[in-house]
Amino acid sequence: MKRIAVLTSGGDSPGMNAAVRAVVRKANFHGVEVMGIFHGYEGFIHGKMELLNLGSVGGIIQRGGTKLFSSRCPEFKQNEYQLQGLEKMKEAGVEALVVIGGDGSYRGAKALTEKGFPCVGVPGTIDNDIPGTEYTIGFDTAINTVIESIDKIRDTATSHENSFVVEVMGRNAGDIALWAGLAAGAESVIIPEEEYNLDEIIARMKQGEARGKKHSIIIVAEGAISANDLAKLLKEKAGITTRVSVLGHIQRGGSPTARDRVLASRLGAKAVEVLLEGKSGRAVGIKNHQIYDYDLDDVFNNKHKADVSLYTLSKELSI
Ligand code: F6P
């Protein structure tokens, strides 16, 4: 193998740059060239790419976002665009592709693999929702951003004796809410994986108040209910007034944590190893601290499971 390509696709996540750096440097170490494709699959279709070298990925390990830019590209589901992109790769002498992104991005990799073009998926999303890997690149930074924000919210919540409903991202997964809820000591956490009970949330707030708590913080995962809707329900049902804070895209930015940089470096390097071993249609992930590769189809044939034991623990500790 002489030349491969790398792209970042879907919602960006802190650590994507570190993964791109690892792909380029590991490949170069083995004498393989790497083309950086811009704007995800959109760039793949139109052949928007340039040769990356050791220097072009210098100074990016600490930067959030992605140097290669990212996009969501619905057209890539269509056969004609996949073929057009493959033609561009052929013209540029690109023999294989590393895709850094979420499960939507993996679908593109699967389609290309089925057309005989070797691909490897690297999990890059703050949502931590890719089956087969315990952690995705960007999750750790995102939860640290969330707890930093909640710590700040708690300061003003305490001063004004206000309760807050804080909405976090995660699409259909509750991982960000769960981890951040436990780490920030939220009074209640609502996630899509567990049915919530409004009466119980109200009772917990009242119980806290009775023992002198001046405020409560409720974290809702966007996939469960919106913060505004929950605030309305609390008002209607119990006359409780809350302030709402939707954290939004700040969760996707920022300098990656050490954990994300290390994970991205390990996974990016592993993706190259997998391609050099002549494998195709693989995903790389981490399980029990070990980096490994597995069948890309496993991502689609399995469902991500959030660690619901954290939910129970969070309830037990926030009484
Ligand atoms: O997948 C990452 C993510 O940030 C989700 O948590 C969120 O639901 C979605 O992307 C938001 O996407 P967009 O920026 O396209 O609105």
Side-chain angles (χ1 to χ4, degrees), residues 111-134:
L112 295 175
T113 297
E114 284 166 0
K115 288 184 163 57
F117 187 71
C119 291
V120 179
V122 175
T125 165
I126 62 165
D127 300 336
N128 206 41
D129 62 349
I130 300 188
T133 186
E134 286 170 355

Side-chain angles (χ1 to χ4, degrees), residues 4-319:
I4 63 172
V6 58
L7 61 79
T8 50
S9 157
D12 62 348
S13 70
M16 278 184 163
N17 276 326
V20 170
R21 171 183 179 272
V23 169
V24 172
R25 296 217 166 152
K26 179 77 174 176
N28 283 186
F29 178 82
H30 289 285
V32 175
E33 286 181 336
V34 181
M35 300 295 280
I37 298 177
F38 296 105
H39 302 282
Y41 287 111
E42 203 184 296
F44 186 90
I45 293 172
H46 301 289
K48 282 192 282 175
M49 55 189 159
E50 75 179 25
L51 187 65
L52 301 175
N53 56 36
L54 297 179
S56 42
V57 291
I60 64 168
I61 195 168
Q62 78 283 12
R63 277 173 38 202
T66 160
K67 175 191 164 69
L68 295 178
F69 304 97
S70 192
S71 69
R72 302 196 192 273
C73 181
E75 304 88 68
F76 202 66
K77 288 187 187 131
Q78 295 170 41
N79 199 35
E80 64 176 290
Y81 289 114
Q82 294 166 9
L83 292 174
Q84 183 180 319
L86 284 175
E87 201 48 47
K88 298 281 178 197
M89 294 305 123
K90 205 169 153 193
E91 282 166 19
V94 173
E95 297 164 70
L97 176 69
V98 176
V99 172
I100 305 169
D103 60 352
S105 314
Y106 278 32
R107 286 196 189 277
K110 179 175 156 63
L112 295 175
T113 297
E114 284 166 0
K115 288 184 163 57
F117 187 71
C119 291
V120 179
V122 175
T125 165
I126 62 165
D127 300 336
N128 206 41
D129 62 349
I130 300 188
T133 186
E134 286 170 355
Y135 298 104
T136 58
I137 298 164
F139 173 64
D140 188 63
T141 309
I143 55 176
N144 276 289
T145 301
V146 171
I147 62 168
E148 208 182 302
S149 308
I150 293 175
D151 290 348
K152 287 178 177 159
I153 287 173
R154 204 181 273 287
D155 287 344
T156 175
T158 309
S159 308
H160 289 269
E161 301 186 8
N162 283 329
S163 286
F164 273 78
V165 182
V166 181
E167 182 180 313
V168 300
M169 281 185 168
R171 208 178 288 275
N172 300 316
D175 295 53
I176 296 178
L178 268 182
W179 283 71
L182 186 59
E187 276 66 25
S188 291
V189 179
I190 300 183
I191 54 169
E193 292 84 352
E194 293 284 312
E195 215 166 298
Y196 71 91
N197 178 332
L198 191 61
D199 291 330
E200 190 193 316
I201 294 169
I202 292 168
R204 289 169 75 81
M205 290 178 91
K206 297 213 158 140
Q207 196 182 317
E209 208 179 297
R211 73 162 180 87
K213 265 195 188 180
K214 302 292 185 207
H215 68 269
S216 291
I217 293 194
I218 303 170
I219 301 189
V220 300
E222 64 176 357
I225 182 174
S226 82
N228 280 311
D229 286 350
L230 184 73
K232 244 185 244 159
L233 289 175
L234 289 169
K235 184 77 187 165
E236 281 164 16
K237 186 127 196 208
I240 297 175
T241 303
T242 49
R243 300 296 172 102
V244 165
S245 180
V246 179
L247 296 186
H249 287 79
I250 61 161
Q251 293 163 92
R252 288 230 301 254
S255 177
T257 58
R259 209 169 245 283
D260 272 332
R261 295 182 200 193
V262 171
L263 181 64
S265 302
R266 294 177 77 192
L267 290 174
K270 179 70 179 177
V272 172
E273 270 173 25
V274 167
L275 288 176
L276 293 181
E277 282 163 16
K279 295 183 190 166
S280 172
R282 309 293 289 172
V284 292
I286 185 161
K287 213 176 229 177
N288 297 326
H289 307 287
Q290 300 300 316
I291 300 295
Y292 79 120
D293 64 288
Y294 58 100
D295 199 322
L296 203 50
D297 279 337
D298 291 352
V299 174
F300 308 109
N301 299 336
N302 291 289
K303 216 175 139 23
H304 164 71
K305 287 190 195 79
D307 182 355
V308 179
S309 72
L310 298 183
Y311 183 73
T312 316
L313 182 61
S314 176
K315 273 191 180 182
E316 287 168 359
L317 301 187
S318 298
I319 39 175

